[in-house]
Amino acid sequence: MEKLPPWIRREVEGHGVDLEELALDLGYPLAYTVGGRTFYSEREVRKEDLDFVLHRVGGFKENNRAGLEGTLHRISRILSALEEMAGITIRVGKFVEGVAEPLRPYLVEGGGSLLVVGPPRTGKTTLLRDIVRILAEVYGSRVVAVDTSNEIGGDGLIPHPGIRPARRMQVPDPPSRNQGRVIYQAIANHSPEIVVVDEIGYNEDVQECLTASRRGVRVVATAHGERLLDVLENPALHPVLGEPDLKARARRTRPAFAMALQVVGKGRFLLYPDLGQALDDLLEGREPEGVRLGVWE
């Protein structure tokens, strides 16, 4: 709240922990999301409002993201063609302990690699943080989180206490070139039993996740997609999905992940305990059967 212009702070601070996101666009009313609903202020955002935030947040990375040390919040900026700031998005990061508890038997007793699939704003990263917490309770410092945008462990050198005693390795800019390298370093240098990665989809990181699984290192990773079918139809992810041939309706080898979890909504999950079978069903035109976890109405 200290990083926000006073009028914006007055507008949103009464919503407390339910505040999820703020969008500040030059010349537009302030938009903010509370409990899944978006509200708009009567007052428009001006250049001095953007400058107020910029001067208190500090430098942005090459991917136009910044964080606040000791927190899980993410600030992203929009630049014009002339490299002038035209907007800011603030995601309010929260550590929600217990959100991954329905997965505990599969994480601790199942023991296989897990691919988490979901579209933006469904709580995918919040879920991943709690997965790290559960795994760290059992495997301790043998869990290594490869933190692409500091969204798992937060900004700064010391990770958020919620994921301890798991270790955290930060990924320098740009992630497209460095995420795979950091995954490799985690495995080669730090002897993890489990590597956790947020948002795979670059060629190098996908290959390193495949290599890790073939070396006996468990991998928990997230990927964008509304459904498992979206991931199957993403060529960049084919190496970890058993190299599926969509025309032949078959895959060439076993997937790198034993299980997949589809994040349907906040607190609602669909687990595919046998990812290979689920992929085969999709390739053959059938809808795979999943296990409902969490709270379904």
Side-chain angles (χ1 to χ4, degrees):
M1 289 296 167
E2 295 173 356
K3 313 296 182 185
L4 299 176
W7 74 268
I8 294 180
R9 179 173 179 172
R10 289 193 297 270
E11 180 91 26
V12 303
E13 67 179 344
H15 296 287
V17 297
D18 294 325
L19 182 65
E20 298 173 356
E21 185 176 287
L22 298 93
L24 289 70
D25 291 302
L26 189 62
Y28 282 66
L30 167 73
Y32 55 97
T33 304
V34 179
R37 296 178 59 197
T38 301
F39 301 89
Y40 299 91
S41 68
E42 295 182 359
R43 182 170 169 176
E44 293 182 351
V45 175
R46 302 171 65 178
K47 184 178 183 300
E48 51 261 37
D49 297 320
L50 300 180
D51 290 340
F52 187 99
V53 177
L54 176 64
H55 293 153
R56 284 156 180 80
V57 168
F60 284 79
K61 296 182 179 180
E62 187 175 309
N63 61 1
N64 283 314
R65 290 181 177 182
L68 301 179
E69 187 163 358
T71 77
L72 300 169
H73 309 316
R74 187 182 79 193
I75 300 97
S76 306
R77 65 179 177 178
I78 299 172
L79 297 179
S80 71
L82 299 176
E83 296 291 308
E84 296 177 320
M85 191 158 63
I88 295 174
T89 301
I90 301 173
R91 295 286 300 275
V92 183
K94 303 166 187 153
F95 193 92
V96 184
E97 185 171 337
V99 67
E101 283 299 331
L103 295 174
R104 183 181 285 271
Y106 301 94
L107 295 170
V108 176
E109 299 168 14
S113 292
L114 174 68
L115 178 65
V116 179
V117 179
R121 298 183 64 173
T122 53
K124 206 164 59 263
T125 303
T126 302
L127 174 70
L128 191 64
R129 291 188 201 109
D130 205 42
I131 287 175
V132 174
R133 176 190 65 84
I134 291 173
L135 292 171
E137 286 179 3
V138 180
Y139 300 98
S141 60
R142 294 296 187 185
V143 179
V144 175
V146 175
D147 208 352
T148 309
S149 299
N150 295 339
E151 290 196 74
I152 298 176
D155 209 51
L157 293 177
I158 301 175
H160 190 279
I163 69 168
R164 297 175 187 168
R167 307 179 77 185
R168 190 265 295 267
M169 296 181 66
Q170 294 171 303
V171 178
D173 279 339
S176 57
R177 289 206 303 265
N178 290 312
Q179 181 158 281
R181 179 173 60 85
V182 175
I183 295 172
Y184 169 79
Q185 290 177 357
I187 297 167
N189 298 344
H190 305 292
S191 305
E193 291 189 38
I194 304 171
V195 172
V196 180
V197 190
D198 197 11
E199 296 183 13
I200 63 170
Y202 311 107
N203 290 334
E204 290 80 5
D205 61 357
V206 169
Q207 288 295 332
E208 292 299 339
C209 286
L210 177 62
T211 300
S213 70
R214 298 297 189 249
R215 291 182 177 181
V217 178
R218 288 174 60 189
V219 178
V220 177
T222 66
H224 284 302
E226 189 168 347
R227 298 180 299 155
L228 190 58
L229 180 61
D230 297 327
V231 174
L232 178 63
E233 293 177 343
N234 183 351
L237 295 173
H238 282 184
V240 292
L241 299 178
E243 294 290 359
D245 186 328
L246 301 185
K247 291 183 179 179
R249 296 185 173 274
R251 53 188 171 87
R252 298 184 179 91
T253 185
R254 59 189 171 94
F257 299 93
M259 306 173 286
L261 183 78
Q262 179 181 323
V263 181
V264 179
K266 292 186 177 180
R268 292 184 295 142
F269 316 112
L270 198 59
L271 179 75
Y272 300 100
D274 185 341
L275 177 56
Q277 183 60 56
L279 293 172
D280 291 343
D281 288 341
L282 287 171
L283 287 167
E284 293 169 12
R286 299 188 302 269
E287 187 66 30
E289 291 188 13
V291 179
R292 286 187 173 191
L293 301 174
V295 180
W296 291 70
E297 297 180 357

